[in-house]
Amino acid sequence: QLIDRATSPRDEGDPKAEQKSLEESWQDLALIKTTPKPPKKQRREDLSEPLLSPAQPLVPGEAPDPRGCSAPLGAPQVKSSPLRCLTLQEKLLSHSSQLAVPEIQVSLVPQLARSICTQLQNFLRSKCPELPFGRLFLSGALLDGLEVLAADHIHLMLPVVLDTGLWSLISGEDTVVRNPQHWMIKRIDLGYFPRGCSPWDRFIVGQYLSSNVLNETLHKLLVASINWPAIGGLLGCAIHPVVASRELKLEVKHDQVELSITLFPVVEMEDKVLLAVPPEGLVENLWLESFYRAEVSRVKELDAGDSGARQLCLRILNGVCRSQPSLHKLGGSPVTHVILHLSDTASDWAEESLADRFQQVLEELVAHLEKGVLPSYFNPKINLFSGLSEEEIDEMGFVLYRAMSEPEVLLK
């Protein structure tokens, strides 16, 4: 329509014809510009395509700005604006200062969790004296200095003490699940030491210590047997067990903080740390191997050896994953293992190289998401993406792929 109107003869009898034609043309052009284009359906294969378009030639009359911006030659200089284009390095360091957990939470949350831990320990000793539970202890990113934004969750570890002469480990690779990150704990020597010799025999299903049965027993205790209103009144807060959750979870509300506490029965055998976190489904005897303690220890050891910024990089990335709903499942272990893998090839982890390492981690994450495989740093047979759906992997891949050309968008 714009072309036809521009090439058609003008009506000489109408002095306003030219003005009318221009006004209508701008209206039509505005409609064309604001018409949304249908989004292109993205596929995982698109991650291999170049993201950046070829550089545009400099327009005549424009001069390059030393800060990466361009301005017309002869343009008046605005002296009242002191703003400048920040580098990615400067933006990362500035962003890291915004991730700090409020001081009141840093001091109050561990104190409150330890008080609840003590009350729960006393209850288990009086209610289940025949079960040799170890001493409860706290775990989580807050205690290790890796928590960001808010201290609203913490883990409570409940050691299950086993007689190693009566129990042995069987790798998940040798079971029907074929998953090397899961293990089974088998009762042995039943001919010499029949059932009843171990206090944990009551939780056996088919000669294996059942994580499901143990969790169900503890869930009943948390929900029905413990007087949480009385304990909460003593500690100055309200404590409620989450009835509908498969996890052993407590919700704590204090005047100054709200906290979620998750209880994990844990078995330590043969240098393995196993959590009673069975996968969903019919298999109920599996225990999940946890690498959290080894992850944190290794990252801190590497940073101490070269005064590196791995922990700083990890905190920033954890903050990104926490603030982006589509990246929630990528925070924690997956990001940590990518940083550990990258530490084997990239030796410069000084704070001055934070921007380079940050971009490298994004590139590595995208490459692993494209394949759908992230090998564990401590056991290459384990795929840390095995619990993610195809849709989750694709969505996370596209978010990070778009951010590779402009990492700053993740910091907003």
Side-chain angles (χ1 to χ4, degrees):
Q1 292 178 359
L2 292 176
I3 295 174
D4 292 342
R5 189 175 298 156
T7 56
S8 61
R10 187 178 60 186
D11 187 359
E12 299 293 341
D14 185 4
K16 297 183 178 180
E18 182 177 359
Q19 179 180 357
K20 180 179 179 182
S21 176
L22 289 174
E23 290 174 353
E24 291 176 350
S25 299
W26 279 113
Q27 291 173 0
D28 292 343
L29 184 60
L31 289 175
I32 292 174
K33 288 185 176 181
T34 56
T35 302
K37 296 182 180 180
K40 178 184 177 183
K41 178 64 175 177
Q42 302 191 67
R43 302 165 300 155
R44 183 180 297 182
E45 291 79 5
D46 296 338
L47 299 182
S48 301
E49 297 178 1
L51 183 65
L52 298 176
S53 57
Q56 299 296 324
L58 191 65
V59 177
E62 253 184 357
D65 189 280
R67 301 165 301 186
C69 311
S70 60
L73 290 174
Q77 301 296 321
V78 182
K79 297 182 179 181
S80 60
S81 177
L83 298 178
R84 63 187 183 88
C85 297
L86 297 177
T87 64
L88 176 60
Q89 175 80 10
E90 292 170 323
K91 290 179 180 178
L92 287 172
L93 293 176
S94 174
H95 183 74
S96 66
S97 62
Q98 303 170 17
L99 299 175
V101 179
E103 186 61 34
I104 182 63
Q105 295 185 16
V106 173
S107 58
L108 181 58
V109 166
Q111 176 184 347
L112 194 58
R114 287 189 180 96
S115 298
I116 295 174
C117 179
T118 301
Q119 296 296 325
L120 183 56
Q121 184 88 65
N122 293 337
F123 171 82
L124 290 174
R125 285 176 177 172
S126 61
K127 184 72 174 179
C128 311
E130 75 284 0
L131 295 178
F133 287 114
R135 190 171 193 83
L136 284 154
F137 62 93
L138 303 182
S139 177
L142 175 64
L143 302 177
D144 296 309
L146 299 175
E147 186 62 279
V148 293
L149 300 176
D152 54 2
H153 65 280
I154 202 164
H155 295 159
L156 189 55
M157 315 306 286
L158 176 61
V160 175
V161 182
L162 300 178
D163 184 344
T164 55
L166 300 178
W167 304 89
S168 66
L169 298 184
I170 297 179
S171 172
E173 288 183 289
D174 301 326
T175 67
V176 292
V177 296
R178 300 297 180 190
N179 187 334
Q181 193 170 358
H182 286 90
W183 294 76
M184 300 182 78
I185 304 175
K186 185 177 181 180
R187 178 69 156 82
I188 59 176
D189 289 338
L190 286 172
Y192 294 98
F193 303 99
R195 287 197 180 197
C197 293
S198 171
W200 301 107
D201 286 346
R202 56 187 281 196
F203 302 104
I204 287 179
V205 174
Q207 298 188 21
Y208 297 96
L209 182 63
S210 173
S211 52
N212 270 10
V213 174
L214 180 58
N215 277 337
E216 289 170 1
T217 301
L218 291 172
H219 188 272
K220 291 177 182 178
L221 292 177
L222 290 180
V223 171
S225 300
I226 302 179
N227 189 349
W228 291 116
I231 294 176
L234 180 67
L235 302 179
C237 61
I239 306 174
H240 302 284
V242 181
V243 178
S245 175
R246 291 180 72 246
E247 296 179 308
L248 305 173
K249 185 173 290 187
L250 301 172
E251 298 292 345
V252 182
K253 292 187 178 181
H254 188 272
D255 290 341
Q256 296 173 299
V257 295
E258 291 189 7
L259 174 64
S260 175
I261 299 178
T262 306
L263 178 67
F264 290 103
V266 55
V267 170
E268 296 192 36
M269 284 183 65
E270 302 177 11
D271 298 326
K272 306 259 184 317
V273 179
L274 307 178
L275 305 181
V277 185
E280 295 185 9
L282 299 178
V283 183
E284 63 175 21
N285 296 334
L286 296 178
W287 294 69
L288 178 70
E289 184 173 4
S290 171
F291 298 102
Y292 177 77
R293 187 187 303 172
E295 293 165 7
V296 175
S297 175
R298 182 59 178 159
V299 169
K300 290 187 175 182
E301 178 186 354
L302 290 171
D303 272 354
D306 59 10
S307 301
R310 295 172 186 82
Q311 294 174 78
L312 177 58
C313 186
L314 179 57
R315 289 184 71 253
I316 294 174
L317 287 164
N318 280 342
V320 167
C321 294
R322 185 183 178 109
S323 62
Q324 300 267 352
S326 60
L327 301 179
H328 279 179
K329 293 187 177 181
L330 202 58
S333 284
V335 171
T336 306
H337 284 248
V338 170
I339 289 178
L340 290 175
H341 282 302
L342 193 57
S343 295
D344 290 340
T345 57
S347 58
D348 184 10
W349 281 88
E351 188 174 289
E352 294 76 14
S353 302
L354 176 61
D356 293 336
R357 298 291 84 80
F358 182 83
Q359 288 184 296
Q360 270 191 294
V361 172
L362 294 184
E363 294 169 3
E364 290 294 315
L365 282 170
V366 170
H368 287 298
L369 287 166
E370 185 178 2
K371 299 175 183 176
V373 176
L374 173 58
S376 165
Y377 180 80
F378 301 100
N379 185 352
K381 295 181 180 179
I382 296 174
N383 176 19
L384 297 180
F385 289 162
S386 62
L388 300 177
S389 67
E390 193 80 11
E391 292 75 16
E392 289 172 331
I393 290 177
D394 286 342
E395 185 175 5
M396 290 188 291
F398 293 139
V399 170
L400 294 179
Y401 175 65
R402 288 192 294 265
M404 281 172 58
S405 63
E406 192 179 357
E408 295 87 348
V409 299
L410 296 175
L411 307 180
K412 295 180 181 179

